[in-house]
Amino acid sequence: MVTSHDRAIGSLVNAQTRAGAAAGRTADDILAAARAMTEPAHQAAVERLPEEIRHVAGYHAGWWDADGRPCAGTGKAVRPALVLACARAIAEGAGWPGRAGPAAGAVRAAVPAAVAVELVHDFSLLHDDVMDGDPVRRHRPAAWTVFGTGSAVLAGDTLISLALDVLADSGAQTKVLTTALLRLCGGQNADLAFERRTDITLAECVTMAADKTGALLGCACELGALAGGADPARAARLREFGEHLGLAFQLVDDLLGIWGDPETTGKPVYGDLVARKKSLPVVAALTSQTPAGERLARLYGRNTLDEQALAQAAQLIDASGARLWATEQARHHMEAALEHLERAEPAPDAAADLRVLAHLIVHRDR
């Protein structure tokens, strides 16, 4: 059910998105342009892989089915779009590829970084599905269920190597990517470790989300800024834009993992509770020192949770104030992201695109 708490996030990002609409470019426009720029280079990189690994990687990307027959891609290319928009935001003018101006060159120079970020993202999804046992990815069977766990893991490992190879000629950008990659892996490891712990603090959980989700979005924005010629200060501001955006995304994703509509999220009702995820709202409730939080801790200690217990757990998280906390934190990080964007002094058209992308990433149907 959509509540006033849920609508609070949308009220901010909808207002920001109107500026992007005024520029005449929708989220679909921005993503389609990003795919047109980056997908040929992405596919060319994957084509260099050994045949069996290439098959898994291409299936995961949505380029072909399990038998190798071509089909429409399923990835949105959000991260490549962030890379390209941040390159434009820094470069002079507001040109797009094919038009005159420094921004066109900046976007072309940013394509390798955009491909590298998408390769790392695909690595993380391949491994994440294996670790969580998730059978579906992008509305079809996850790669590990089709090709086996070992093949999916090896494909993910190979995509990391390929991403670094794509950026081999750029020492500074490679360092940015590897730093984010280490944080991403650390965040994923913490997420797994939390499943076995009962003493998690909320600060630890926020750090985990910042590393697991925020690091790569921040990396995408920083790489784009560097390709556009940004000095370290402006590149850092755009990195902060991406990192806060990542935290806002994770908070909303965690809310959807409990209260989201399965028809729109593709996840089962109370899916994160069934898996006993120590997500941000759950940890906020468990550490709230409220009667509802204490009752939730007892529920989470059971061996199994039936439908009635799952519904009760969701009610207790809400009653503890954790649902409101997560909604307000998502709004806070969205506001912080937009503040960092403005401080980077981006070119107006690119800034409008980045606001549209921020809306797409954070504001989804409940």
Side-chain angles (χ1 to χ4, degrees), residues 243-319:
E243 292 200 6
H244 281 286
L245 197 57
L247 267 173
F249 165 85
Q250 190 60 59
L251 284 152
V252 171
D253 198 59
D254 286 352
L255 289 167
L256 292 173
I258 301 173
W259 293 284
D261 180 356
E263 292 296 320
T264 57
T265 66
K267 301 177 180 180
V269 64
Y270 305 138
D272 281 2
L273 301 182
V274 172
R276 308 296 176 87
K277 280 283 188 181
K278 302 291 178 59
S279 64
L280 285 158
V282 169
V283 174
L286 291 173
T287 60
S288 65
Q289 298 184 329
T290 63
E294 292 171 1
R295 291 175 62 193
L296 177 67
R298 290 194 291 273
L299 264 183
Y300 249 49
R302 293 184 184 178
N303 290 329
T304 59
L305 295 177
D306 58 20
E307 287 297 320
Q308 182 178 358
L310 290 170
Q312 184 182 8
Q315 292 170 356
L316 290 170
I317 294 168
D318 199 353

Side-chain angles (χ1 to χ4, degrees), residues 4-358:
S4 59
H5 303 329
D6 298 320
R7 295 189 185 96
I9 304 167
S11 65
L12 171 69
V13 290
N14 279 326
Q16 296 295 338
T17 302
R18 284 193 287 272
R25 237 189 319 269
T26 66
D28 286 342
D29 294 333
I30 298 164
L31 295 176
R35 285 193 297 270
M37 278 293 295
T38 62
E39 195 161 278
H42 187 183
Q43 290 189 357
V46 171
E47 285 294 334
R48 295 159 47 195
L49 300 177
E51 181 178 355
E52 291 186 0
I53 295 175
R54 180 171 68 247
H55 192 179
V56 178
Y59 171 84
H60 175 75
W63 299 330
W64 45 72
D65 64 17
D67 296 320
R69 292 185 294 263
C71 54
T74 55
K76 291 181 180 178
V78 169
R79 286 155 189 81
L82 285 172
V83 174
L84 302 186
C86 284
R88 289 179 55 230
I90 294 299
E92 289 185 358
W96 196 248
R99 291 172 58 183
V107 171
R108 285 191 291 271
V111 168
V115 171
V117 168
E118 191 71 350
L119 289 169
V120 169
H121 179 52
D122 280 346
F123 137 74
S124 72
L125 297 181
L126 282 163
H127 281 205
D128 197 51
D129 288 343
V130 169
M131 287 183 281
D132 291 346
D134 289 337
V136 177
R137 171 64 63 184
R138 295 167 176 166
H139 304 288
R140 62 178 187 167
W144 71 271
T145 69
V146 177
F147 302 101
T149 298
S151 292
V153 170
L154 283 172
D157 293 343
T158 305
L159 292 183
I160 297 176
S161 299
L162 189 59
L164 296 175
D165 188 63
V166 166
L167 284 184
D169 294 332
S170 175
Q173 291 190 10
T174 301
K175 179 62 175 176
V176 169
L177 185 67
T178 56
T179 298
L181 182 57
L182 289 171
R183 287 184 59 196
L184 187 159
C185 292
Q188 180 64 50
N189 181 68
D191 194 24
L192 289 173
F194 287 176
E195 295 177 9
R196 303 185 297 272
R197 288 178 50 192
T198 58
D199 60 343
I200 306 160
T201 68
L202 188 54
E204 284 181 300
C205 196
V206 170
T207 298
M208 177 274 292
D211 289 342
K212 181 181 175 182
T213 305
L216 191 59
L217 285 178
C219 170
C221 296
E222 184 175 8
L223 287 176
L226 292 172
D231 59 46
R234 294 180 79 190
R237 287 174 187 139
L238 284 175
R239 182 187 69 243
E240 290 291 336
F241 161 72
E243 292 200 6
H244 281 286
L245 197 57
L247 267 173
F249 165 85
Q250 190 60 59
L251 284 152
V252 171
D253 198 59
D254 286 352
L255 289 167
L256 292 173
I258 301 173
W259 293 284
D261 180 356
E263 292 296 320
T264 57
T265 66
K267 301 177 180 180
V269 64
Y270 305 138
D272 281 2
L273 301 182
V274 172
R276 308 296 176 87
K277 280 283 188 181
K278 302 291 178 59
S279 64
L280 285 158
V282 169
V283 174
L286 291 173
T287 60
S288 65
Q289 298 184 329
T290 63
E294 292 171 1
R295 291 175 62 193
L296 177 67
R298 290 194 291 273
L299 264 183
Y300 249 49
R302 293 184 184 178
N303 290 329
T304 59
L305 295 177
D306 58 20
E307 287 297 320
Q308 182 178 358
L310 290 170
Q312 184 182 8
Q315 292 170 356
L316 290 170
I317 294 168
D318 199 353
S320 74
R323 186 178 186 177
L324 175 60
W325 172 86
T327 302
E328 291 179 338
Q329 283 295 301
R331 180 182 177 89
H332 162 74
H333 285 291
M334 185 67 174
E335 290 174 338
L338 296 173
E339 288 173 6
H340 282 287
L341 175 62
E342 292 307 311
R343 289 176 60 198
E345 300 178 352
D349 284 1
D353 282 359
L354 287 166
R355 293 188 189 97
V356 171
L357 290 171

